[in-house]
Amino acid sequence: MSDSRPKTVTFDVGGTVYKVSRSLLEQHPDTMLARMVSETWENAMEPDKTLFLERDGDRFRYVLDYMRDGKVFLPAPKISKDALLLDLDYYGFSNVSPRNIQVSFVFSESVQYLKSFEKDCQEQLSETKRIRFAHYCASKYRDSLGGLSVTVNNSDSADEEELEACATASKHYNYSSRVHKLNEPLSKYGLKCIHVNQRDLCGKGKYCVEYTVKLEELA
């Protein structure tokens, strides 16, 4: 009697669709994947049912590699070895040796990853500077008993805190689209930046820049 069951099974893994041969699944009868398929085949009404798995779709291809070859070569740093080991455990593969999960260095992907990492670091650094700038402005506002202008410059007499505030102000001067980035940290002090003015200062053969931050109290 011929076997009328489909030769492939369709998995939807986190939105990524895979077609897997029945013969490959039958080589791993003790896994969750094989049990899912067995239960589906026993239901004659749903022989072509797509089986959904709430896991990472990109990593599932390496689960299939492990099923075929007993070992996997992962592209670093795109796919995490530890994450794949967790997936294999979830799918019911026991006694998986970490030595069979090898990581290969892919230069082009590593460069892209490093660029993304550097960008994230730069954004976090900028956010930290804006938070310190907001604290500086709020302190000056408090000390001036409600004065809604904070002036900073990069003259020789400026201390380190003022110099940093001046550098932050310079990045937002004359850029209305950037001023709003100052307002999230300022809002925690009940303040809002409405404009940043610049004035060039010259004296004693030296040149420096002064910035006046116009503030407004939040209603």
Side-chain angles (χ1 to χ4, degrees), residues 10-65:
T10 302
F11 289 100
D12 180 344
V13 188
T16 303
V17 176
Y18 290 87
K19 286 188 177 295
V20 182
S21 69
R22 186 177 67 182
S23 60
L24 179 62
L25 294 165
E26 288 175 342
Q27 292 175 31
H28 305 274
D30 296 328
T31 64
M32 182 188 80
L33 298 174
R35 289 195 298 271
M36 287 177 65
V37 171
S38 177
E39 291 170 2
T40 300
W41 279 336
E42 288 174 1
N43 186 348
M45 299 298 292
E46 298 182 297
D48 299 317
K49 177 182 177 181
T50 296
L51 303 178
F52 180 75
L53 295 165
E54 188 62 75
R55 302 296 287 185
D56 185 87
D58 289 338
R59 288 197 300 268
F60 191 71
R61 60 179 292 190
Y62 300 101
V63 173
L64 297 178
D65 283 345

Side-chain angles (χ1 to χ4, degrees), residues 23-157:
S23 60
L24 179 62
L25 294 165
E26 288 175 342
Q27 292 175 31
H28 305 274
D30 296 328
T31 64
M32 182 188 80
L33 298 174
R35 289 195 298 271
M36 287 177 65
V37 171
S38 177
E39 291 170 2
T40 300
W41 279 336
E42 288 174 1
N43 186 348
M45 299 298 292
E46 298 182 297
D48 299 317
K49 177 182 177 181
T50 296
L51 303 178
F52 180 75
L53 295 165
E54 188 62 75
R55 302 296 287 185
D56 185 87
D58 289 338
R59 288 197 300 268
F60 191 71
R61 60 179 292 190
Y62 300 101
V63 173
L64 297 178
D65 283 345
Y66 182 82
M67 293 173 69
R68 298 184 192 101
D69 306 320
K71 61 177 60 177
V72 179
F73 296 92
L74 296 177
K78 185 178 180 180
I79 302 295
S80 164
K81 178 177 179 176
D82 289 340
L84 181 62
L85 287 169
L86 284 175
D87 278 348
L88 289 169
D89 181 67
Y90 175 84
Y91 292 129
F93 293 90
S94 59
N95 301 318
V96 177
S97 171
R99 289 181 297 180
N100 289 333
I101 312 298
Q102 299 181 26
V103 178
S104 58
F105 184 82
V106 180
F107 181 75
S108 59
E109 293 182 358
S110 296
V111 169
Q112 188 61 37
Y113 173 81
L114 289 174
K115 287 181 179 178
S116 176
F117 177 74
E118 290 170 357
K119 181 180 178 182
D120 290 343
C121 288
Q122 188 59 46
E123 290 176 352
Q124 290 178 14
L125 178 60
S126 296
E127 179 62 20
T128 299
K129 288 182 177 179
R130 286 193 290 270
I131 292 172
R132 288 204 292 256
F133 179 79
H135 179 74
Y136 180 87
C137 289
S139 299
K140 293 296 182 183
Y141 168 76
R142 178 199 60 203
D143 295 342
S144 66
L145 301 179
L148 290 173
S149 292
V150 175
T151 301
V152 293
N153 64 58
N154 59 356
S155 66
D156 291 342
S157 61

